[in-house]
């Protein structure tokens, strides 16, 4: 019998949406390559023990396993687990798949080199739940091990709304105001395709949540940075010279605290 580990609204959202194909189209293609690049910068040795917590259908786990690492995917959504199992069967160095969630990791203390927190930080609206997740990751981590935590920026919906006119729809604007002031994201009934209930971080707040658990701060990275604001982004990413310019712009601004909020997603790196 499958055990319900997360809010039913989140489970229902992912059963309707396709996390499997999200990273294969539109901004998802860029997001996938960019996040792999960021993770790779913290791969310090061959054959690391890695936990991919909230790892969805296993796209990142598969990539890491193919590089020779010992990867465990922890995921609470039943649909994603089945897809991850199919993915793992197709590769030689199979990654292991576990039904579970970030607040209760079934791994021993000081056992893991690298922990990736992909969904937990934005799918737990209560600060105390996020704190438990960070403490659990710290517990499982080896001394000097790394946690990479991914968050949605508190400005994300507002920026999208401004670019495409949705900001002038009352329910969307009310949602944006809640995100900007409290971080709480709840999709309006007339926007059922938006992400299920979530928490959207301010960059400084994300940092403080990790530092309050006694972890050492390394850096915060813009994932998309500001380049997604390029009005011809998709066409320009297919053009060699223009793509180089956009990548260079990301590189020189990715840790700039003054403009982190222009990036819909951010990643924090901390050490035990």
């Amino acid at each position: 019998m499958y055990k319900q580990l997360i809010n039913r609204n989140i489970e229902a959202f992912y059963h309707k949406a396709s996390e499997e194909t999200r990273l294969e189209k539109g901004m998802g293609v860029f997001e996938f390559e960019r996040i792999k690049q960021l993770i790779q910068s913290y791969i310090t040795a061959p054959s690391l023990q890695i936990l991919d917590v909230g790892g969805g259908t296993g796209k990142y786990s598969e990539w890491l396993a193919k590089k020779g690492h010992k990867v465990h995917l922890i995921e609470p959504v039943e649909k994603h687990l089945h897809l991850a199992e199919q993915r793992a069967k197709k590769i030689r160095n199979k990654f292991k798949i576990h039904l579970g969630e970030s607040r209760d990791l079934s791994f021993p203390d000081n056992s893991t080199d690298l922990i990736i927190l992909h969904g937990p930080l934005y799918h737990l609206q209560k600060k105390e739940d996020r704190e438990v997740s960070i403490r659990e990751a710290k517990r499982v981590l080896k001394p000097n091990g790394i946690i990479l935590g991914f968050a949605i920026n508190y400005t994300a919906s507002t920026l999208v709304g401004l670019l495409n006119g949705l900001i002038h729809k009352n329910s969307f604007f009310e949602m944006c105001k809640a995100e900007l002031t409290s971080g709480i994201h709840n999709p309006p009934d007339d926007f059922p395709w938006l992400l299920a209930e979530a928490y959207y971080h301010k960059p400084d707040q994300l940092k403080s949540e990790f530092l309050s658990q006694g972890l050492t701060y390394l850096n915060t990275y813009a994932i998309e940075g500001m380049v997604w604001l390029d009005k011809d982004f998709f066409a320009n990413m297919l053009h060699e010279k223009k793509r180089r310019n956009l990548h260079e712009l990301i590189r020189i601004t990715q840790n700039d605290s003054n403009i982190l909020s222009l990036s819909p997603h951010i990643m924090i790196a901390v050490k035990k």
Side-chain angles (χ1 to χ4, degrees):
M1 180 67 180
Y2 172 69
K3 183 180 178 182
Q4 185 83 34
L5 293 177
I6 56 171
N7 184 289
R8 290 185 183 279
N9 291 335
I10 299 172
E11 179 96 21
F13 170 80
Y14 281 116
H15 273 277
K16 287 186 294 184
S18 178
E19 185 65 13
E20 176 68 2
T21 59
R22 185 182 69 81
L23 297 176
E24 297 173 358
K25 57 188 178 182
M27 280 298 295
V29 176
F30 170 72
E31 179 187 332
F32 186 47
E33 294 306 317
R34 170 69 174 151
I35 288 177
K36 286 194 295 184
Q37 179 187 63
L38 289 171
I39 293 172
Q40 183 61 44
S41 69
Y42 285 94
I43 299 290
T44 55
S47 196
L48 293 180
Q49 171 93 352
I50 299 175
L51 298 191
D52 186 6
V53 184
T57 65
K59 285 183 178 286
Y60 293 102
S61 289
E62 176 187 33
W63 167 67
L64 289 163
K66 284 180 174 179
K67 287 180 167 290
H69 301 292
K70 293 169 282 190
V71 184
H72 294 264
L73 180 146
I74 298 96
E75 170 63 33
V77 177
E78 183 180 18
K79 172 186 174 183
H80 294 170
L81 290 170
H82 294 320
L83 291 168
E85 286 167 358
Q86 294 170 23
R87 174 168 275 115
K89 288 176 183 176
K90 297 175 182 176
I91 60 176
R92 182 174 298 175
N93 181 36
K94 303 185 188 320
F95 57 93
K96 294 186 168 57
I97 297 157
H98 309 263
L99 171 65
E101 55 95 25
S102 59
R103 291 166 291 181
D104 185 18
L105 299 174
S106 56
F107 294 84
D109 297 358
N110 306 307
S111 61
T112 300
D113 298 295
L114 175 68
I115 296 178
I116 300 167
L117 295 176
H118 244 128
L121 296 179
Y122 52 81
H123 274 316
L124 295 171
Q125 287 187 331
K126 294 180 180 178
K127 182 180 179 183
E128 53 266 36
D129 286 331
R130 297 193 301 275
E131 288 174 343
V132 171
S133 295
I134 295 168
R135 279 200 299 274
E136 266 292 89
K138 180 184 176 184
R139 176 188 67 78
V140 172
L141 206 61
K142 293 177 182 177
N144 296 312
I146 300 290
I147 300 172
L148 302 179
F150 292 84
I152 300 175
N153 225 318
Y154 76 118
T155 57
S157 298
T158 304
L159 289 168
V160 170
L162 286 168
L163 286 171
N164 60 26
L166 288 174
I167 200 73
H168 300 293
K169 295 186 180 296
N170 186 59
S171 62
F172 193 93
F173 186 43
E174 291 300 316
M175 176 191 73
C176 290
K177 288 195 293 184
E179 293 166 6
L180 291 168
T181 55
S182 70
I184 298 296
H185 162 81
N186 288 308
D189 291 340
D190 51 341
F191 289 92
W193 46 268
L194 291 175
L195 182 67
E197 60 185 65
Y199 188 82
Y200 290 4
H201 279 84
K202 293 181 178 179
D204 284 348
Q205 180 198 13
L206 179 65
K207 179 179 177 180
S208 69
E209 288 185 3
F210 280 86
L211 291 185
S212 69
Q213 301 304 319
L215 291 154
T216 300
Y217 176 72
L218 298 175
N219 223 327
T220 304
Y221 298 81
I223 292 176
E224 300 90 349
M226 62 173 71
V227 302
W228 71 286
L229 297 171
D230 179 355
K231 68 182 181 67
D232 296 315
F233 174 80
F234 295 108
N236 290 339
M237 286 297 279
L238 296 174
H239 185 285
E240 185 178 353
K241 182 180 183 299
K242 293 177 180 179
R243 182 172 65 249
R244 284 202 306 270
N245 289 344
L246 292 175
H247 283 166
E248 179 69 4
L249 179 58
I250 290 175
R251 188 190 66 77
I252 64 175
T253 61
Q254 65 181 2
N255 306 122
D256 188 333
S257 61
N258 293 307
I259 55 177
L260 275 175
S261 294
L262 291 176
S263 181
H265 299 89
I266 51 178
M267 183 192 89
I268 188 169
V270 296
K271 184 169 73 170
K272 183 171 176 178

